[in-house]
Amino acid sequence: MTKYYLPDGMRYSTLEERKRFYTEEFDLEKVAEWFEKPIGNVKFAVIIGRHTQIYPEKYKEDASTTIIIDECQGLEDMRAQIVEFLPESAYYDRNVYDENDRKTGQELAFDLDPENIICPIHGSLADKMKRDQGLSFCALELNMVREQAIRLYEHLEKEFSQMRIVYSGRGFHIHVFDADAYAFSEKKRLELAKTVKKKGFGIDEWVTAGEMRLIRLPYSLHGLVSRIAVPVEKSELERFDPVCDERCIPKFLSSNALIS
Ligand SMILES: [Zn+2]
C-alpha cells in the first residue's frame, strides 16, 4: 500500500495511533523543558496529511495545508488542538516574537535529511524523485545521516556552544541556542547554510537560511515513520539506532511487537 520504502519497522501511523499517542503518550513536561521558558509567544503548526494522505474526513480540504496554531493558551491547549487535527507532523516556529507579535530573532537550526544523502544503492534525491520516491530512505542512508550529524555538530562547535541534537524521525536537527545566533541577519544565515553545504553536509538550506522557519516539535510523533522526535546527546549519537531505541518508539508499536 505505501509507496515509500523505509527502514524495518518504520511505517505510517494510522489516525487511531496518532490519537492514542497524543492523548496517552505525548509528554508535555518534556516539551516544556525543551522551551525552558513559558511558551507564551511560541507558535505551533501542524500538517494533517500532506504526505501520508491519512487525515480525518472533516479536514480533507486542509489535509495538505500548513495550519498555524498561534492562539495557544499553554501546552494543554496545544495538545487539545493537535488531538483535534490528528496531524502526521507537528512543528514549532523558530521565530521569536515580542508581545506585539513582531519578530525579534530566530533560533538557528540545521536540518539533515536522508533524502539529501547520495545512497550507493538508491542514488541521489534527483534519482529518487524520478521514481516518485522523494521521501523514501533506507537504513544505510539513515546511518550516513547520523554520521553527518556527528561531524556537523563537531564542525559547529568551533563557533557555537549551546547546541542540541534532535532525532527528527527521518534525520537529525541541530538547534543552536547561542544568544548571538538568534540575532544573525538573513544574509549571514544564508552564507552559513552555503558554507556548510559546500563542506558536503546534506542540509536543507532553507531551514538554516530561515526561509523555512518551522521545525519539528521535539517529543511529537512523526507520522510517516511512527517514531517520536527525541533529543539525543552528542555522546550517544555514535550508537543511537532509531530502528530500535525505546525512547523513539511509540507504545502503539511496542505493544504490537509483543503480540506478534
Ligand atoms: Zn538507500
Side-chain angles (χ1 to χ4, degrees), residues 1 4 57 81 96 109 128 132 138 140 165 175-176 197 206 220:
M1 186 186 102
Y4 299 125
E57 200 47 42
Q81 300 206 44
V96 180
K128 291 179 230 173
D132 211 12
C138 68
L140 198 59
I165 305 166
H175 297 251
V176 179
K197 228 173 163 167
W206 303 116
S220 67

Side-chain angles (χ1 to χ4, degrees), residues 109-139:
F110 297 83
D111 173 23
L112 289 154
D113 278 324
E115 71 255 24
N116 293 320
I117 298 278
I118 298 170
C119 174
I121 298 166
H122 303 101
S124 68
L125 178 58
D127 298 329
K128 291 179 230 173
M129 298 278 272
K130 262 183 244 156
R131 300 190 302 266
D132 211 12
Q133 292 280 349
L135 287 171
S136 292
F137 64 102
C138 68

Side-chain angles (χ1 to χ4, degrees), residues 6 11 14 50-51 55 80 85 100 120 176 235 248:
L6 296 167
R11 61 161 176 82
T14 65
R50 181 182 297 168
H51 299 296
Y55 45 79
F85 293 121
N100 298 315
V176 179
S235 58
C248 58

